[in-house]
């Protein structure tokens, strides 16, 4: 398995590290418009292979270097500065995607390649990349709310004193400020959240839920304030998605792909089954009327932002 990473800043490097440590790929190619940065990253990561799996890591001077890639990960573009929202990056990063995707497509096999989008604002970038690449939507996958879902699971896990692995919960819609926490579908060890809290004598009232929602939605802002950017969480999210594809695992992840036609076209996150050929199936989650309304609002926001590019 050969993969390429376009954009080797904080996120691209973290993705490379995490993917390298899975042992699932034999070759990683790094490309960045800043060639010095890409070469330095390839050098540093290459040395790290002496301590783990024997992965060939190189920097490409141009897009011909990505030829033969099974998966191309796009993590190029501006990141949020403290106080900026993901939508503030819209115009700049739409130009980055317009620059990258046609060049990627000239150098990959359109019949089998899978694009993984990381650049923010994520859902709009997925729509743009799918349009430019003309690939089937199932093979243009944004990490979407995988990270938000991970944040929700870890916060819940701490409060409930169980492992995040035993919690099934999903954040839906935009990877952004309008994301929707689907409280109605949460299960813990097969029990509804309510039933689990009842049995464990744990309080989960409206104020606690609001507090959890606040921390899930604002986690990125807090991390950016503290360390300038976020990279470890997303690095692991991308390698988890890659593992799911490589092993044809059919795990259910909240990724973003384009769905719908005409005026209803939108990319957003829902629980989706992922296999070797990308998204295999999308689930319609159980939602309360308020959650459904919030999801419709989230879709409108993504569509409005897409109309701006
Ligand atoms: P960074 O500034 O550290 O790195 C960005 C890299 O992209 C730079 O090395 C730059 O040279 C390169 N680049 C810019 N335009 C390019 C082009 N046209 N062609 C090739 N390379 C180009 O930024 P970062 O912290 O690594 O963040 C990258 C992106 O990932 C941002 O948009 C950020 O918001 C996003 N992000 C997404 C998630 C998520 O959950 N989806 C999480 C964290 C960050």
């Amino acid at each position: 398995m050969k993969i390429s990473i376009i954009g080797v800043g904080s996120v691209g490097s973290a993705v490379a590290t995490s993917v390298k440590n899975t042992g699932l790929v034999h070759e990683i190619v790094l490309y960045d418009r800043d060639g010095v940065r890409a070469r330095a990253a390839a050098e540093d990561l290459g040395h790290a292979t002496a301590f783990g799996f024997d992965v060939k890591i190189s920097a490409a001077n141009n897009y011909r270097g990505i030829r033969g890639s099974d998966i191309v990960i796009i993590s190029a573009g501006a990141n949020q500065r403290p106080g900026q929202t993901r939508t503030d990056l819209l115009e700049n990063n739409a130009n980055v995607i317009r620059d990258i995707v046609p060049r990627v497509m000239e150098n990959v096999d359109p019949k089998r390649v899978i694009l993984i989008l990381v650049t923010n604002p994520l859902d709009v970038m997925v729509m743009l990349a799918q349009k430019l690449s003309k690939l089937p939507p199932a093979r243009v996958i944004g990490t979407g709310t995988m990270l938000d879902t991970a944040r929700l699971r870890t916060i819940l896990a701490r409060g409930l004193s169980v492992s995040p692995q035993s919690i099934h919960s999903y954040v839906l819609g935009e990877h952004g400020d309008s994301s929707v926490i689907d409280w109605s579908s949460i299960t813990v060890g097969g029990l509804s959240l309510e039933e689990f809290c009842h049995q464990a004598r744990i309080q989960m009232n409206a104020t606690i839920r609001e507090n959890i929602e606040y921390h899930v939605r604002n986690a990125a802002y807090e991390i950016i304030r503290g360390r300038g950017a976020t990279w470890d969480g997303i690095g692991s999210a991308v390698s988890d998605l890659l593992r799911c594809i490589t092993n044809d695992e059919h795990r259910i992840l909240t990724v973003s792909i384009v769905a719908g036609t005409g005026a209803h076209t939108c990319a957003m996150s829902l629980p989706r089954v992922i296999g070797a050929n990308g998204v295999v199936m999308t689930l319609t989650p159980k939602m309360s009327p308020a959650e459904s309304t919030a999801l419709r609002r989230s879709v409108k926001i993504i569509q409005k932002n897409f109309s701006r590019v």
Side-chain angles (χ1 to χ4, degrees), residues 9-11 32-33 37 75 77-79 93 99 118 120 175 230 234:
S10 312
V11 171
D32 196 292
R33 70 174 174 196
R37 192 175 204 181
S75 50
N79 58 14
N93 286 352
D99 171 44
V118 182
N120 277 320
H175 171 58
T230 73
I234 187 63

Side-chain angles (χ1 to χ4, degrees), residues 6-13 31-34 37 63 74-81 86 89 92-93 95-97 99-100 103 117-122 143-144 147-148 151 175 228-231 234 237:
I6 316 294
V8 197
S10 312
V11 171
S13 304
Y31 176 82
D32 196 292
R33 70 174 174 196
D34 179 346
R37 192 175 204 181
Y63 279 87
I74 301 179
S75 50
N79 58 14
Q80 291 164 265
R81 299 286 157 217
R86 293 176 181 90
L89 310 171
N92 182 84
N93 286 352
N95 287 332
V96 170
I97 297 300
D99 171 44
I100 292 172
R103 301 211 230 175
L117 270 291
V118 182
T119 306
N120 277 320
L122 190 275
T143 46
L147 194 48
D148 315 65
R151 287 170 179 155
H175 171 58
T230 73
W231 58 84
I234 187 63

Side-chain angles (χ1 to χ4, degrees), residues 2-17:
K2 172 175 176 175
I3 69 147
S4 293
I5 301 175
I6 316 294
V8 197
S10 312
V11 171
S13 304
V15 168
T17 302

Side-chain angles (χ1 to χ4, degrees), residues 80 85-87 120-123 144-145 148 171-180 216-218 221 269 298 301-302:
Q80 291 164 265
T85 68
R86 293 176 181 90
T87 311
N120 277 320
L122 190 275
D123 305 283
T145 53
D148 315 65
V171 180
L172 313 175
E174 184 195 22
H175 171 58
D177 296 341
S178 72
S179 63
V180 180
V216 169
R217 274 203 206 95
N218 288 284
Y221 293 109
S269 290
S298 194
I301 288 170
I302 297 165

